[in-house]
Amino acid sequence: MAMMQLEAPRRAGILSRLGAIFQRRALQRQTREELSRLSDRELADIGILRGDIGALSRGL
């Protein structure tokens, strides 16, 4: 019985962490896609090089 009481919060914690990972990856993907749509001129205006988009999106 005590084992089942410990597993429920652990499972909830794992699901919570997985949810956070999926949310973070979705935000990274959205950021990468939005920056990729900008022209080189628009990226230069905000101080970003096209080659930096991947690293910038992962850094969020």
Side-chain angles (χ1 to χ4, degrees):
M1 190 66 151
M3 185 66 121
M4 290 187 83
Q5 290 175 347
L6 290 175
E7 287 184 22
R10 187 179 305 162
R11 228 176 293 172
I14 290 170
L15 292 177
S16 178
R17 284 188 298 235
L18 283 174
I21 289 169
F22 284 120
Q23 282 182 319
R24 186 176 65 240
R25 289 194 178 166
L27 180 58
Q28 291 171 344
R29 183 176 49 254
Q30 179 184 1
T31 301
R32 188 174 53 250
E33 289 172 357
E34 288 182 14
L35 288 173
S36 294
R37 286 188 205 115
L38 297 176
S39 69
D40 288 339
R41 172 61 192 223
E42 291 169 321
L43 289 171
D45 285 346
I46 58 175
I48 297 174
L49 298 173
R50 188 160 300 280
D52 294 336
I53 291 174
L56 288 170
S57 67
R58 286 187 301 274
L60 292 178

